[in-house]
Amino acid sequence: MPDFEEPPSSVPDPNEFEREDADIDDRLEFRAAFSETLTKHGYPDTLVLARERAEEVFHDRRLEILDYLNEHNPDSVRALAQALDYDKGVVSRDLQELAQIDVIEYEDAGRSKAPRLKHSHVVVEPVV
């Protein structure tokens, strides 16, 4: 009978893990539980951001963009920039960052993209 090695299993051994990975998993579970609790108490469709991601969202210009999108449905990025009296490039970069962390999304509006809030609520995970 030929002597051969079995290929390594693609399933990780649950007893072998890095502590950093476990901390990340714990935080994801915590955010998921926090989101479920908010949903049960009348806040459905809530995005729970990690504390580290909050500073990407919560500065004056981006809050102004989010406030505007909460009240209005601009036809395009250009229309949003004009309404807020900001440079289109600056607004476009802000929207890209907000889309990357799942706060906004785009609707097709003919030849342009219309930015929209993706969630009814956005909160930051508790600090303690």
Side-chain angles (χ1 to χ4, degrees):
M1 196 163 232
D3 194 25
F4 64 91
E5 288 184 33
E6 294 214 10
S9 172
S10 63
V11 178
D13 182 344
N15 298 313
E16 295 180 17
F17 63 92
E18 297 292 324
R19 183 67 214 154
E20 289 176 2
D21 293 340
D23 289 341
I24 291 170
D25 291 343
D26 289 346
R27 289 185 66 198
L28 290 174
E29 286 180 26
F30 176 78
R31 280 197 296 274
F34 186 53
S35 182
E36 286 179 32
T37 300
L38 289 169
T39 297
K40 288 178 185 176
H41 289 87
Y43 293 94
D45 188 25
T46 300
L47 173 64
V48 179
L49 292 176
R51 292 176 299 216
E52 297 81 16
R53 303 304 298 269
E55 71 181 28
E56 295 176 26
V57 175
F58 300 115
H59 64 68
D60 290 343
R61 189 178 60 244
R62 289 190 183 155
L63 286 173
E64 188 176 355
I65 289 170
L66 295 174
D67 287 342
Y68 189 87
L69 291 176
N70 192 42
E71 299 292 324
H72 304 90
N73 291 316
D75 294 332
S76 65
V77 174
R78 182 178 307 281
L80 173 61
Q82 288 174 342
L84 296 174
D85 198 28
Y86 287 122
D87 177 77
K88 180 187 174 282
V90 170
V91 171
S92 181
R93 283 188 294 279
D94 282 339
L95 291 172
Q96 287 172 3
E97 288 290 325
L98 292 169
Q100 190 173 19
I101 58 176
D102 208 34
V103 175
I104 66 119
E105 61 189 352
Y106 294 97
E107 287 182 358
D108 285 326
R111 295 186 337 182
S112 50
K113 300 184 300 183
R116 300 287 183 259
L117 294 177
K118 189 168 182 180
H119 302 278
S120 301
H121 308 281
V122 176
V123 298
V124 178
E125 69 181 341
V127 176
V128 291

